[in-house]
Amino acid sequence: MTDIPFPEFQERLEKALDALGMRADHVRIPALLGYLQQLRHWNKAYNLTAVRDPAKMLVQHVFDSLAIVPELRARWPRRDLRVADMGSGAGLPGIILAICQPEWSVVCVDAVGKKTAFIRQAAGVLGLKNVRAEHGRIEAMDSLRADLVISRAFASLSDFVRVAAHHRAPGGTMLAMKGLDPVAERAALEADTGWFVKSAVELSVPEMDARRCLLELDSSPEGTP
């Protein structure tokens, strides 16, 4: 089914988790490798990601998604957290969060049916009871009332707010995973929507030289809800 070198990838995952301060999550490695195996297999038919090399998938998708876990755990320690992953694609970061936080409830939303079909398939194979996939246009769906509404390489900050802000529960938080801190997008966000970047956390992704950040968005009193 796959050409993934499991012993090598297991060792790399162990080192990555240690670097992120997630040593206790070594128990999650079989599930993380199982997800990567599913992604590698189904990508051939479903074109889920442009990344074809499993070694690059490991870093650019799995490690990149893992990098936000320590920050989320520290800031939102609730066990019953509800998370909505917008424009989830192949379930990133949603499935990775669900693996690492089995007590959280994660909804992966995407407008492409084959991608939500893959998320259901992968969640079923991995036995993830805390994941569900929703197929549809984000802006047209009823509110998911999530505590965390998150996106990874999904849209500009302004577009993210426009289509997804109504999915927040009262008191919920909007989070955007980005590469370099997007100065122009920040300016457009404030000018066009009345929202702003409340905080920015620089992320260190194991085995990756490129810079990454996690932005928390909030609305001014006159901002678009």
Side-chain angles (χ1 to χ4, degrees), residues 86-89 108-116 134-139 141 154:
M86 297 298 173
S88 186
C108 296
V109 182
D110 205 277
V112 180
K114 63 184 180 181
K115 293 182 178 180
T116 51
E134 292 285 349
H135 171 225
R137 292 170 56 230
I138 295 168
E139 64 272 26
M141 296 172 60
F154 163 61

Side-chain angles (χ1 to χ4, degrees), residues 167-222:
H167 289 291
R168 287 189 309 166
T173 301
M174 300 280 288
L175 296 171
M177 297 173 67
K178 290 287 184 177
L180 285 173
D181 196 346
V183 177
E185 286 189 30
R186 279 180 179 245
L189 177 70
E190 294 190 27
D192 298 343
T193 70
W195 284 63
F196 62 95
V197 174
K198 182 178 180 179
S199 67
V201 177
E202 189 169 343
L203 302 173
S204 178
V205 180
E207 297 189 28
M208 186 183 291
D209 292 331
R211 297 177 65 181
R212 293 286 189 270
C213 66
L214 180 66
L215 306 179
E216 178 184 354
L217 312 182
D218 202 353
S219 58
S220 56
E222 68 275 11

Side-chain angles (χ1 to χ4, degrees), residues 29-105:
I29 288 176
L32 293 168
L33 288 174
Y35 167 75
L36 192 63
Q37 184 179 29
Q38 290 293 309
L39 179 59
R40 171 67 170 165
H41 175 68
W42 289 101
N43 195 45
K44 298 173 184 177
Y46 281 16
N47 193 29
L48 301 165
T49 169
V51 180
R52 304 294 179 183
D53 181 351
K56 292 181 179 179
M57 287 180 177
L58 180 67
V59 177
Q60 295 179 24
H61 293 326
V62 178
F63 289 179
D64 190 51
S65 296
L66 284 171
I68 66 171
V69 173
E71 180 70 16
L72 300 190
R73 285 176 171 172
R75 295 181 60 187
W76 292 277
R78 273 179 44 196
R79 295 185 61 84
D80 60 343
L81 209 66
R82 296 166 297 176
V83 180
D85 177 13
M86 297 298 173
S88 186
L92 297 159
I95 283 186
I96 304 302
L97 295 179
I99 290 172
C100 293
Q101 298 292 128
E103 69 277 13
W104 289 1
S105 176

Side-chain angles (χ1 to χ4, degrees), residues 147-171:
D147 301 302
L148 297 182
V149 179
I150 192 166
S151 68
R152 173 182 178 267
F154 163 61
S156 70
L157 296 178
S158 296
D159 286 344
F160 177 41
V161 164
R162 288 191 184 102
V163 303
H166 72 287
H167 289 291
R168 287 189 309 166

